[in-house]
Amino acid sequence: MIMSIGVALAAADETNYVDAIVAQAKQVAADGLKSVWFGQRFDYDAAALATVVGREVPEVFVGTSAIPIFGRHPLLISSQAQTAQAATHGRFQLGLALGAKNLLEGSFGLTYERPVARLREFLTVLRELFTTGTADFHGEVLTAAPPLPTTVAGADPVPLLVAAMGPQALRATGELADGTLPYLAGPKVLANEIVPAITAAASGQPRVIAFVAGVVTSDVERVRANAVEQLAFYERIPSYQRVIGLEGATRAGELAVIGDEETVAAEVRRYFDAGATEVVFTQTDLGSAEDQRRTWKLLGELAGQVTTTVR
């Protein structure tokens, strides 16, 4: 298994968002980072953006973190993922999520029903599509029976990851996917809840890719206050409320890793010690542009130290 460090990228106030992200990806690649990730938002398409970046910056792996499955069908996600995989020559990683009930129902007019059953069926169909090139699935919430082949030439089987943190979702992910993408789950929750649950359900060693809000800065107080404000959104989502509380925090911003290089490096080690196979820093723009550059530089240095094959 490969232990590594990556970064989630986002840009603000740019003339061309895609150009700005490509420039960021080139910079973090130069800093020594080997993976970049993109959350699914309401503006850009995460899989398309990952495809462009992976094509433009061949030094990095790219991934989505994560695409909600409600409002989407596995046949279409398979087409997106395989196209991205072929375009990047095997460097694309598909991250999926259940999404937040209130956000999805209010935005799409959907009914958020039987999420774990939908996740199981979604993953089952995707795995079949990726491995056989077709599907003939008639489940309780999904049907997938394409009349034509679904394989994209040049696309290796796509790594299948899920932003799972609850017991049922982790069980489904362990059984049917390659790993999980927890966010706001600190070292205590990783070690005591997430790693044991997914490992017990998996037939092999699952990937645990911990997403961590973090910044290297000299202005800790200001950046911490900014983190508390910007991450407050997650405190209204039950799945995040649960892991925040289990970690012993009351605010999401308390879980952000903020400090000088030594402090941040020590916290990264805590996540690996807790069972993370990969650590991805996100919200690296909570401080100044200089802080972000310091963060990427440190992560690149750490990546050179931890990227190793673990048996």
Side-chain angles (χ1 to χ4, degrees), residues 5 63 71 81 111 119 130 138 169 194-195 198 230 235 252 259 275 282 297:
I5 296 174
T111 302
L119 176 63
F130 290 161
H138 302 268
I194 291 176
V195 173
I198 192 171
Q230 291 198 25
E235 297 161 11
T282 184
K297 183 175 184 294

Side-chain angles (χ1 to χ4, degrees), residues 79 105 112 150 281 305:
S79 297
E105 288 187 340
Y112 192 84
T150 62
F281 262 43
Q305 299 170 18

Side-chain angles (χ1 to χ4, degrees), residues 16 31 91 96 147 150 158 179 211 229-230 242 249 261 265 277 303:
N16 185 298
D31 287 333
R91 288 177 288 109
L96 301 172
T150 62
V158 180
F211 278 70
E229 179 182 354
Q230 291 198 25
R242 176 177 174 275
E261 281 82 356
T277 61

Side-chain angles (χ1 to χ4, degrees), residues 87-229:
T88 61
H89 295 274
R91 288 177 288 109
F92 177 75
Q93 307 172 84
L94 176 62
L96 301 172
L98 288 172
K101 179 178 186 293
N102 292 343
L103 186 62
L104 292 172
E105 288 187 340
S107 301
F108 295 108
L110 300 170
T111 302
Y112 192 84
E113 293 180 336
R114 304 189 64 191
V116 175
R118 180 171 294 274
L119 176 63
R120 282 188 168 278
E121 295 190 3
F122 211 102
L123 295 175
T124 299
V125 172
L126 279 176
R127 185 65 77 191
E128 187 173 352
L129 291 169
F130 290 161
T131 55
T132 71
T134 189
D136 186 15
F137 183 86
H138 302 268
E140 297 179 11
V141 297
L142 285 174
T143 294
L148 297 170
T150 62
T151 300
V152 175
D156 296 330
V158 180
L160 191 50
L161 307 160
V162 182
M165 296 191 292
Q168 294 184 65
L170 282 167
R171 187 177 305 114
T173 298
E175 293 172 2
L176 299 168
D178 300 306
T180 184
L181 305 162
Y183 173 56
L184 293 179
K188 178 181 177 181
V189 173
L190 282 180
N192 296 338
E193 302 280 335
I194 291 176
V195 173
I198 192 171
T199 301
S203 58
Q205 182 63 43
R207 294 171 65 185
V208 179
I209 307 171
F211 278 70
V212 181
V215 182
V216 176
T217 182
S218 301
D219 194 356
V220 174
E221 186 175 339
R222 182 183 67 84
V223 175
R224 177 72 65 190
N226 198 18
V228 169
E229 179 182 354

Side-chain angles (χ1 to χ4, degrees), residues 7-10 183-184 211-216 223 226-227 230-231 234 256-258 280-287 292 295-296:
V7 66
L9 298 179
Y183 173 56
L184 293 179
F211 278 70
V212 181
V215 182
V216 176
V223 175
N226 198 18
Q230 291 198 25
L231 302 185
Y234 295 98
V257 173
I258 299 169
V280 176
F281 262 43
T282 184
Q283 278 100 5
T284 59
D285 58 354
L286 286 169
Q292 187 172 57
T295 306
W296 292 348

